[in-house]
Amino acid sequence: MNRRNAGDLAVSAAVGTLVAFVLLAMVVAGHHGTPLLTDGGLLSWSVRHRPPVAVAAARGVTGTGTGVVAYLLAVLAGVLAGRDARQRVTAGAVCLACLGLAQVVRYGVMSLIARPRPPVGDWATQATGWSFPSGHTTTSAVTAGLLIAAVLLRAPRGSRAIVTAIGCWAVLVGLSRVYLGVHWSTDVVGGWLFALCWLAVCFRLAARYRPALRAPSGESTPRTRDAACSRRAGGGSAGAVGSPGGPPRETG
């Protein structure tokens, strides 16, 4: 997919997910924090099915969806995306900025809607702040999107298993927030929609403004190899007219 097509796809994804997120946020705000759709049912199921091993596993998964782990993974995405040291540093900084700004915007939306969390008595872990959209869900989804983009950029073939594993990690982080009772299910859906919209905007900007990635010194790219072949072919054609080893003769 060329840069223009990728940019058009990103715009479509951004618009679609933004509309869905805004509609969900309006419904959440209009109900003043009360449970929606399957919120109550999923929370009740989670409370009734909490063996110690499952709770410990959920806490372990949910802990990877925020804080140092998420930002280290964002840096890793930048390292994977770059070809040389300079590109890796730049890409790592861009990935960190993408994740950090997503947190700032999400926090503003969360404070604006101010949805209360589920009852504290149903919590199986600690949590702070308002509920919508889920912070852990948003953070892990944005991080996963950056990692998936980096993997596909460097290894477009044979990376299905890695991409699937990264996507499953982000999904499990979101589901763990509902299982542990600190978020409603619609908080998690809102986090996924917000993250997808944010990633689409970031990818659109990257497709438009980033310079073409160049290979490091001594490494040829398909474009440079094609150009070299064209020059050699042109030189051979020119040398065909005239004496071998000498300048071409005028003809006609």
Side-chain angles (χ1 to χ4, degrees):
M1 182 181 296
N2 59 39
R3 187 179 299 186
R4 181 174 180 179
N5 290 339
D8 293 342
L9 179 61
V11 170
S12 300
V15 172
T17 51
L18 178 61
V19 170
F21 177 78
V22 170
L23 290 175
L24 179 58
M26 291 174 63
V27 173
V28 168
H31 283 73
H32 307 289
T34 58
L36 302 174
L37 303 175
T38 59
D39 284 345
L42 288 176
L43 178 62
S44 298
W45 184 93
S46 299
V47 172
R48 294 194 308 267
H49 298 81
R50 283 181 180 168
V53 174
V55 172
R59 287 173 177 170
V61 171
T62 207
T64 64
T66 188
V68 176
V69 174
Y71 283 93
L72 288 177
L73 291 175
V75 173
L76 176 61
V79 171
L80 292 174
R83 287 181 178 270
D84 53 26
R86 182 176 180 180
Q87 288 183 359
R88 291 184 183 115
V89 171
T90 301
V94 170
C95 289
L96 282 176
C98 175
L99 182 57
L101 289 174
Q103 300 291 6
V104 173
V105 177
R106 180 198 62 81
Y107 188 83
V109 174
M110 182 182 66
S111 300
L112 180 64
I113 296 176
R115 185 187 197 185
R117 292 179 182 270
V120 178
D122 294 332
W123 293 8
T125 189
Q126 296 299 315
T128 58
W130 298 109
S131 193
F132 181 91
S134 167
H136 283 66
T137 301
T138 303
T139 302
S140 59
V142 171
T143 304
L146 295 173
L147 282 171
I148 289 173
V151 170
L152 293 178
L153 181 64
R154 286 290 156 254
R157 297 180 180 179
S159 57
R160 181 178 300 177
I162 298 175
V163 169
T164 301
I166 296 171
C168 288
W169 165 70
V171 171
L172 287 175
V173 170
L175 295 179
S176 71
R177 305 305 287 168
V178 179
Y179 184 74
L180 294 173
V182 292
H183 276 291
W184 303 109
S185 61
T186 44
D187 298 334
V188 173
V189 174
W192 285 332
L193 290 174
F194 180 91
L196 289 173
C197 179
W198 186 261
L199 286 169
V201 171
C202 291
F203 291 157
R204 178 64 183 92
L205 293 175
R208 180 170 184 176
Y209 293 111
R210 76 167 177 83
L213 293 177
R214 293 175 296 179
S217 301
E219 181 180 345
S220 62
T221 63
R223 180 175 295 180
T224 57
R225 289 195 296 267
D226 292 344
C229 293
S230 299
R231 286 196 297 271
R232 287 196 296 268
S237 299
V241 181
S243 60
R249 294 180 308 202
E250 294 182 0
T251 58

